[in-house]
Amino acid sequence: MLQKQKSEFTKELILNESFKLFYKDGFKATSVDKIMVKTQLTKGAFYHHYKNKKELGLAVIKLKIQQRVYDAMISPLYNSGNVIEILKSTFIDRIKSFPIQEKQSGCPMNNFINELGDTEKVYQIALKNIIEEWKSALIQLIERGKKDNSINQSISNKSTAIYLISSFEGIRGIRKLYENDEIIDQFMLGLSTYINHIKA
Protein backbone atom coordinates (compact mmCIF):
# COMPACT_ATOMS: atom_id res chain seq x y z
CA MET A 1 0.00 0.00 0.00
CA LEU A 2 2.81 2.40 0.89
CA GLN A 3 4.53 1.69 -2.44
CA LYS A 4 1.32 2.45 -4.32
CA GLN A 5 0.90 5.73 -2.42
CA LYS A 6 4.51 6.66 -3.12
CA SER A 7 4.02 5.90 -6.81
CA GLU A 8 0.88 8.05 -6.97
CA PHE A 9 2.68 10.87 -5.15
CA THR A 10 5.56 10.70 -7.64
CA LYS A 11 3.20 10.77 -10.62
CA GLU A 12 1.31 13.73 -9.14
CA LEU A 13 4.57 15.56 -8.42
CA ILE A 14 5.69 15.18 -12.04
CA LEU A 15 2.27 16.36 -13.26
CA ASN A 16 2.13 19.40 -10.98
CA GLU A 17 5.70 20.58 -11.56
CA SER A 18 5.40 20.00 -15.31
CA PHE A 19 2.27 22.13 -15.41
CA LYS A 20 4.13 24.97 -13.66
CA LEU A 21 7.09 24.69 -16.04
CA PHE A 22 4.89 24.51 -19.15
CA TYR A 23 3.01 27.58 -17.93
CA LYS A 24 6.17 29.52 -17.13
CA ASP A 25 8.48 28.50 -19.97
CA GLY A 26 6.22 26.89 -22.57
CA PHE A 27 5.73 23.25 -23.50
CA LYS A 28 8.34 23.08 -26.25
CA ALA A 29 11.04 24.79 -24.18
CA THR A 30 10.54 22.43 -21.23
CA SER A 31 12.61 19.28 -21.55
CA VAL A 32 12.27 16.07 -19.56
CA ASP A 33 15.67 16.92 -18.07
CA LYS A 34 14.34 20.26 -16.83
CA ILE A 35 11.35 18.50 -15.27
CA MET A 36 13.66 16.03 -13.52
CA VAL A 37 15.77 18.85 -12.09
CA LYS A 38 12.64 20.56 -10.80
CA THR A 39 11.20 17.39 -9.25
CA GLN A 40 14.58 16.01 -8.13
CA LEU A 41 13.60 12.67 -9.59
CA THR A 42 15.42 10.33 -11.94
CA LYS A 43 14.53 9.79 -15.59
CA GLY A 44 13.63 6.26 -14.59
CA ALA A 45 10.91 7.64 -12.33
CA PHE A 46 9.61 9.78 -15.18
CA TYR A 47 9.47 6.98 -17.73
CA HIS A 48 7.88 4.65 -15.19
CA HIS A 49 4.83 6.94 -15.19
CA TYR A 50 4.86 8.56 -18.64
CA LYS A 51 5.98 7.06 -21.95
CA ASN A 52 7.24 10.42 -23.20
CA LYS A 53 6.71 14.17 -22.95
CA LYS A 54 3.78 13.96 -25.36
CA GLU A 55 1.86 11.67 -22.99
CA LEU A 56 2.72 13.98 -20.10
CA GLY A 57 1.51 17.00 -22.08
CA LEU A 58 -1.83 15.31 -22.66
CA ALA A 59 -2.09 14.45 -18.97
CA VAL A 60 -1.43 18.09 -18.05
CA ILE A 61 -4.17 19.23 -20.45
CA LYS A 62 -6.71 16.67 -19.26
CA LEU A 63 -5.95 16.61 -15.53
CA LYS A 64 -4.69 20.12 -14.74
CA ILE A 65 -5.89 22.57 -17.37
CA GLN A 66 -9.31 21.02 -17.92
CA GLN A 67 -9.91 20.91 -14.16
CA ARG A 68 -8.88 24.56 -13.77
CA VAL A 69 -11.25 25.68 -16.51
CA TYR A 70 -14.06 23.51 -15.17
CA ASP A 71 -13.73 24.77 -11.59
CA ALA A 72 -13.39 28.45 -12.51
CA MET A 73 -15.41 28.93 -15.69
CA ILE A 74 -17.76 25.98 -16.25
CA SER A 75 -19.02 24.82 -12.86
CA PRO A 76 -20.29 28.32 -11.87
CA LEU A 77 -22.51 28.35 -14.96
CA TYR A 78 -24.60 25.56 -13.43
CA ASN A 79 -25.33 27.57 -10.27
CA SER A 80 -28.89 28.55 -9.52
CA GLY A 81 -29.79 32.22 -9.55
CA ASN A 82 -30.03 35.14 -11.93
CA VAL A 83 -28.47 34.27 -15.30
CA ILE A 84 -27.14 37.78 -15.96
CA GLU A 85 -25.47 37.89 -12.54
CA ILE A 86 -23.94 34.45 -13.13
CA LEU A 87 -22.46 35.65 -16.43
CA LYS A 88 -21.04 38.78 -14.79
CA SER A 89 -19.59 36.94 -11.82
CA THR A 90 -18.06 34.21 -14.00
CA PHE A 91 -16.53 36.42 -16.67
CA ILE A 92 -15.99 39.80 -15.00
CA ASP A 93 -15.44 39.04 -11.30
CA ARG A 94 -13.21 36.12 -12.22
CA ILE A 95 -10.78 38.24 -14.20
CA LYS A 96 -10.61 40.77 -11.35
CA SER A 97 -9.46 38.03 -8.99
CA PHE A 98 -6.42 36.90 -10.98
CA PRO A 99 -3.09 37.48 -9.21
CA ILE A 100 -0.57 39.64 -11.06
CA GLN A 101 1.51 36.61 -12.07
CA GLU A 102 -1.46 35.07 -13.87
CA LYS A 103 -2.26 38.36 -15.56
CA GLN A 104 1.32 38.59 -16.82
CA SER A 105 1.56 34.95 -17.89
CA GLY A 106 -1.88 34.65 -19.47
CA CYS A 107 -4.25 31.71 -19.49
CA PRO A 108 -2.58 28.26 -19.34
CA MET A 109 -5.12 26.82 -21.78
CA ASN A 110 -4.75 29.77 -24.14
CA ASN A 111 -0.96 29.39 -24.01
CA PHE A 112 -1.27 25.71 -24.92
CA ILE A 113 -3.68 26.51 -27.76
CA ASN A 114 -1.30 29.11 -29.20
CA GLU A 115 1.73 26.85 -28.88
CA LEU A 116 0.31 23.43 -29.73
CA GLY A 117 -3.18 23.86 -31.18
CA ASP A 118 -2.05 23.52 -34.78
CA THR A 119 0.82 21.06 -34.32
CA GLU A 120 -0.66 17.69 -33.35
CA LYS A 121 -4.21 16.41 -33.63
CA VAL A 122 -4.09 14.78 -30.22
CA TYR A 123 -3.42 18.11 -28.48
CA GLN A 124 -5.97 19.87 -30.66
CA ILE A 125 -8.69 17.40 -29.70
CA ALA A 126 -7.89 17.56 -25.97
CA LEU A 127 -7.95 21.37 -25.96
CA LYS A 128 -11.05 21.56 -28.14
CA ASN A 129 -12.90 19.25 -25.73
CA ILE A 130 -12.41 21.85 -22.97
CA ILE A 131 -13.78 24.63 -25.18
CA GLU A 132 -16.74 22.49 -26.24
CA GLU A 133 -17.62 21.65 -22.63
CA TRP A 134 -17.43 25.35 -21.73
CA LYS A 135 -19.51 26.31 -24.76
CA SER A 136 -22.15 23.69 -23.97
CA ALA A 137 -22.52 24.95 -20.37
CA LEU A 138 -22.92 28.52 -21.62
CA ILE A 139 -25.50 27.53 -24.22
CA GLN A 140 -27.53 25.80 -21.50
CA LEU A 141 -27.27 28.84 -19.22
CA ILE A 142 -28.34 31.24 -21.97
CA GLU A 143 -31.28 28.98 -22.84
CA ARG A 144 -32.25 28.96 -19.18
CA GLY A 145 -32.13 32.76 -19.25
CA LYS A 146 -34.49 32.81 -22.21
CA LYS A 147 -36.93 30.52 -20.41
CA ASP A 148 -37.00 32.73 -17.33
CA ASN A 149 -37.15 35.88 -19.50
CA SER A 150 -33.86 37.33 -18.24
CA ILE A 151 -32.14 36.95 -21.64
CA ASN A 152 -33.26 38.47 -24.93
CA GLN A 153 -35.08 35.81 -26.97
CA SER A 154 -33.58 37.00 -30.26
CA ILE A 155 -29.92 36.33 -29.49
CA SER A 156 -28.16 33.20 -30.70
CA ASN A 157 -27.18 30.91 -27.82
CA LYS A 158 -24.23 29.46 -29.67
CA SER A 159 -22.90 32.76 -31.05
CA THR A 160 -23.16 34.40 -27.63
CA ALA A 161 -21.33 31.51 -25.97
CA ILE A 162 -18.52 31.62 -28.52
CA TYR A 163 -18.24 35.39 -28.22
CA LEU A 164 -17.97 35.26 -24.42
CA ILE A 165 -15.31 32.55 -24.49
CA SER A 166 -13.33 34.22 -27.29
CA SER A 167 -13.35 37.66 -25.71
CA PHE A 168 -12.33 36.30 -22.30
CA GLU A 169 -9.51 34.18 -23.70
CA GLY A 170 -8.45 37.00 -26.01
CA ILE A 171 -7.98 39.52 -23.20
CA ARG A 172 -6.01 36.96 -21.21
CA GLY A 173 -3.54 36.81 -24.09
CA ILE A 174 -3.47 40.53 -24.83
CA ARG A 175 -2.88 41.44 -21.16
CA LYS A 176 0.57 39.81 -21.39
CA LEU A 177 1.69 42.72 -23.59
CA TYR A 178 0.87 45.39 -21.00
CA GLU A 179 2.41 46.46 -17.72
CA ASN A 180 -0.83 47.32 -15.96
CA ASP A 181 -4.54 46.45 -15.92
CA GLU A 182 -5.86 49.37 -17.94
CA ILE A 183 -6.70 47.13 -20.88
CA ILE A 184 -8.47 44.66 -18.57
CA ASP A 185 -10.49 47.51 -17.09
CA GLN A 186 -11.58 48.50 -20.60
CA PHE A 187 -12.43 44.88 -21.39
CA MET A 188 -14.56 44.56 -18.26
CA LEU A 189 -16.43 47.75 -19.13
CA GLY A 190 -17.08 46.51 -22.67
CA LEU A 191 -18.12 43.06 -21.55
CA SER A 192 -20.42 44.46 -18.88
CA THR A 193 -22.07 46.61 -21.57
CA TYR A 194 -22.47 43.56 -23.82
CA ILE A 195 -24.00 41.43 -21.07
CA ASN A 196 -26.42 44.23 -20.20
CA HIS A 197 -27.28 44.45 -23.91
CA ILE A 198 -28.43 40.82 -24.05
CA LYS A 199 -30.75 41.22 -21.09
CA ALA A 200 -34.46 40.86 -21.84
Side-chain angles (χ1 to χ4, degrees):
M1 186 64 170
L2 285 175
Q3 184 57 42
K4 184 179 179 182
Q5 288 175 335
K6 184 180 177 183
S7 179
E8 285 302 313
F9 173 81
T10 300
K11 188 173 185 179
E12 191 71 14
L13 176 65
I14 294 169
L15 188 73
N16 290 337
E17 294 304 323
S18 297
F19 168 73
K20 292 175 190 174
L21 287 169
F22 294 160
Y23 187 28
K24 178 177 172 283
D25 301 329
F27 179 79
K28 292 176 183 175
T30 303
S31 64
V32 171
D33 285 338
K34 191 181 280 189
I35 294 166
M36 293 304 92
V37 169
K38 186 70 174 174
T39 58
Q40 298 185 327
L41 295 170
T42 64
K43 278 193 176 179
F46 177 87
Y47 289 111
H48 175 72
H49 294 289
Y50 300 99
K51 286 190 293 188
N52 47 43
K53 197 175 88 165
K54 180 177 177 180
E55 184 179 76
L56 173 62
L58 274 175
V60 166
I61 292 170
K62 292 177 179 179
L63 300 175
K64 298 295 292 183
I65 294 176
Q66 186 165 8
Q67 192 62 51
R68 277 174 57 99
V69 175
Y70 182 82
D71 290 344
M73 304 304 299
I74 298 173
S75 177
L77 301 176
Y78 293 109
N79 290 340
S80 60
N82 182 277
V83 169
I84 292 294
E85 292 308 312
I86 290 171
L87 287 173
K88 286 182 177 179
S89 66
T90 303
F91 285 91
I92 297 173
D93 294 346
R94 172 66 180 155
I95 208 162
K96 287 180 191 175
S97 71
F98 286 125
I100 190 66
Q101 187 265 333
E102 285 202 32
K103 289 176 181 177
Q104 292 170 336
S105 299
C107 169
M109 178 179 68
N110 198 336
N111 293 351
F112 259 78
I113 289 170
N114 288 326
E115 187 178 9
L116 301 173
D118 62 348
T119 58
E120 292 215 34
K121 197 74 175 173
V122 69
Y123 297 130
Q124 189 180 62
I125 291 168
L127 291 162
K128 190 164 74 171
N129 285 342
I130 301 173
I131 298 294
E132 287 299 314
E133 184 180 16
W134 191 0
K135 185 178 76 175
S136 175
L138 273 167
I139 288 169
Q140 288 181 56
L141 178 67
I142 295 161
E143 185 58 32
R144 193 179 102 200
K146 286 182 176 181
K147 286 178 180 174
D148 68 18
N149 293 314
S150 60
I151 295 280
N152 190 318
Q153 299 290 329
S154 67
I155 70 161
S156 162
N157 298 4
K158 187 174 181 181
S159 297
T160 302
I162 292 169
Y163 174 75
L164 288 168
I165 292 169
S166 300
S167 63
F168 186 84
E169 287 302 309
I171 198 63
R172 297 285 325 266
I174 292 169
R175 171 59 178 82
K176 294 191 288 185
L177 303 173
Y178 292 82
E179 294 177 359
N180 59 51
D181 283 347
E182 184 179 350
I183 195 160
I184 284 184
D185 294 339
Q186 293 301 316
F187 163 77
M188 290 191 297
L189 179 61
L191 188 58
S192 181
T193 301
Y194 175 78
I195 292 173
N196 285 332
H197 180 71
I198 67 173
K199 283 199 298 189

